[in-house]
């Protein structure tokens, strides 16, 4: 079975919507671990729209499984990673106006900087993963710059409406996994995965870990709604 890394960014999105101190992604990470998650992922974005520096600092101390820091390839973020020393870093492209990470890294274009920063972080004991499209050239380029892992972008697969298109995208994922494995890299996968589309991807061989965020946080809100309302009613009754 592949492992599950839970991305708790959107607990912080909810908190930031109110500008107060709850719900706390640190508490959500603890509960995810208690439920059996194999790792916790947070994306510290340059614009700090959800996860804050305070969150990653506390999570570094409290996460008992593995902390994966998603971040852009910038001097600021690399300096934070070198200080924080997460178990792994996943490098992602970042655009100010995007709602969530769009597309994978163009590894060839960034090869000089990637090579240098990957080596720097690896020397500090950080495992480095690159978020890329399921594309053979990107996979080869990831290997050339020394990445330990790739994280395959599953977004296109998730967006497909027709069965034949979904199967075609699954085949693409399968070829990408196999190519990365042959080059000796570990393989993670994520983006857009939910309770309806995970099955066929989970059945593919060779994926070490899935990183899933939005659908888990969305489901948590809904499955927790009834209990939350009951608890408030109890307080009203008791007063
Ligand atoms: N992996 C990466 C690299 C991501 O950027 C994201 C989104 O933050 C995810 C996985 C999780 O995607 P989702 O929230 O759609 O499950």
């Amino acid at each position: 079975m592949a492992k599950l890394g839970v991305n708790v960014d959107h607990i912080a999105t909810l908190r930031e919507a109110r500008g107060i101190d709850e719900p706390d992604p640190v508490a959500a990470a603890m509960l995810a671990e208690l439920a059996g998650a194999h790792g916790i992922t947070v994306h510290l974005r340059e614009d700090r729209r959800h996860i804050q520096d305070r969150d990653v600092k506390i999570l570094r101390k409290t996460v008992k499984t593995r902390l994966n820091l998603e971040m852009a390839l910038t001097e600021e973020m690399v300096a934070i990673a070198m200080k924080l020393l997460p178990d792994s870093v996943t490098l992602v492209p970042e655009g100010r106006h995007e709602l969530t990470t769009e597309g994978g890294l163009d590894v060839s274009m960034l090869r000089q900087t990637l090579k240098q920063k990957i080596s720097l972080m690896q020397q500090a004991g950080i495992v480095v993963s690159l978020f890329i499209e399921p594309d053979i050239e990107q996979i080869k380029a990831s290997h050339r710059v020394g990445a330990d892992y790739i994280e395959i972008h599953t977004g296109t697969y998730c967006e497909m409406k027709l069965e034949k298109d979904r199967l075609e995208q699954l085949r693409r994922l399968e070829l990408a996994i196999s190519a990365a494995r042959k080059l000796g890299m570990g393989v993670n996968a994520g983006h857009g995965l939910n309770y309806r589309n995970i099955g066929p991807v989970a059945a593919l061989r060779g994926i070490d870990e899935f990183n899933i965020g939005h659908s888990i946080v969305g489901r948590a809100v809904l499955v927790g709604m009834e209990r939350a309302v009951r608890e408030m009613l109890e307080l009203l009754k008791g007063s």
Side-chain angles (χ1 to χ4, degrees):
M1 186 191 114
K3 294 193 166 94
L4 174 64
V6 175
N7 180 319
V8 295
D9 289 352
H10 294 314
I11 300 292
T13 303
L14 210 52
R15 175 190 62 192
E16 297 304 312
R18 255 308 156 94
I20 54 173
D21 61 2
E22 59 181 16
D24 194 331
V26 175
M30 282 181 188
L31 292 171
E33 285 190 320
L34 284 176
H38 300 95
I40 299 298
T41 292
V42 282
H43 184 174
L44 184 65
R45 296 185 69 101
E46 288 182 272
D47 60 12
R48 307 299 198 270
R49 70 168 73 150
H50 39 54
I51 293 294
Q52 305 295 315
D53 297 69
R54 163 265 183 211
D55 301 328
V56 290
K57 276 188 207 145
I58 300 176
L59 285 166
R60 175 62 293 187
K61 293 194 186 126
T62 54
V63 166
K64 301 277 189 298
T65 52
R66 279 175 295 110
L67 178 64
N68 174 40
L69 179 66
E70 255 184 51
M71 58 181 223
L73 181 65
T74 63
E75 291 293 339
E76 184 205 9
M77 287 300 154
V78 173
I80 289 173
M82 293 297 288
K83 209 163 157 210
L84 187 78
L85 300 178
D87 298 284
S88 58
V89 154
T90 301
L91 293 169
V92 300
E94 207 175 282
R96 281 285 153 109
H97 302 294
E98 66 190 7
L99 282 177
T100 179
T101 317
E102 287 171 3
L105 284 170
D106 187 342
V107 182
S108 297
M109 207 176 78
L110 298 165
R111 67 181 178 280
Q112 287 307 343
T113 326
L114 274 171
K115 224 174 176 169
Q116 190 204 349
K117 301 299 186 201
I118 289 173
S119 158
L120 182 74
M121 290 191 279
Q122 285 172 335
Q123 281 167 40
I126 304 170
V127 170
V128 183
S129 179
L130 304 182
F131 186 52
I132 57 170
E133 295 291 332
D135 176 284
I136 303 299
E137 287 315 311
Q138 295 294 346
I139 292 165
K140 286 185 187 159
S142 300
H143 181 247
R144 281 198 295 272
V145 295
D148 302 296
Y149 278 77
I150 56 162
E151 178 169 332
I152 301 179
H153 197 316
T154 49
T156 309
Y157 157 77
C158 295
E159 281 163 16
M160 293 299 115
K161 301 268 181 286
L162 300 175
E163 186 63 8
K164 75 168 184 31
D165 296 336
R166 210 172 297 135
L167 288 175
E168 194 183 312
Q169 290 305 320
L170 267 179
R171 180 76 189 129
R172 243 184 112 204
L173 294 174
E174 203 169 18
L175 291 173
I177 296 164
S178 144
R181 286 270 166 222
K182 278 191 193 132
L183 290 168
M185 289 185 290
V187 180
N188 298 331
H191 212 286
L193 294 169
N194 62 34
Y195 293 81
R196 289 176 302 281
N197 62 26
I198 185 73
V201 201
L204 298 176
R205 295 204 167 270
I207 297 179
D208 294 295
E209 184 163 308
F210 288 103
N211 277 316
I212 306 182
H214 185 269
S215 64
I216 293 180
V217 173
R219 173 72 57 122
V221 170
L222 293 183
V223 300
M225 193 68 179
E226 196 178 334
R227 178 167 161 189
V229 172
R230 283 188 202 290
E231 285 178 6
M232 187 57 81
L233 283 169
E234 285 303 317
L235 289 173
L236 290 178
K237 254 192 250 165
S239 59

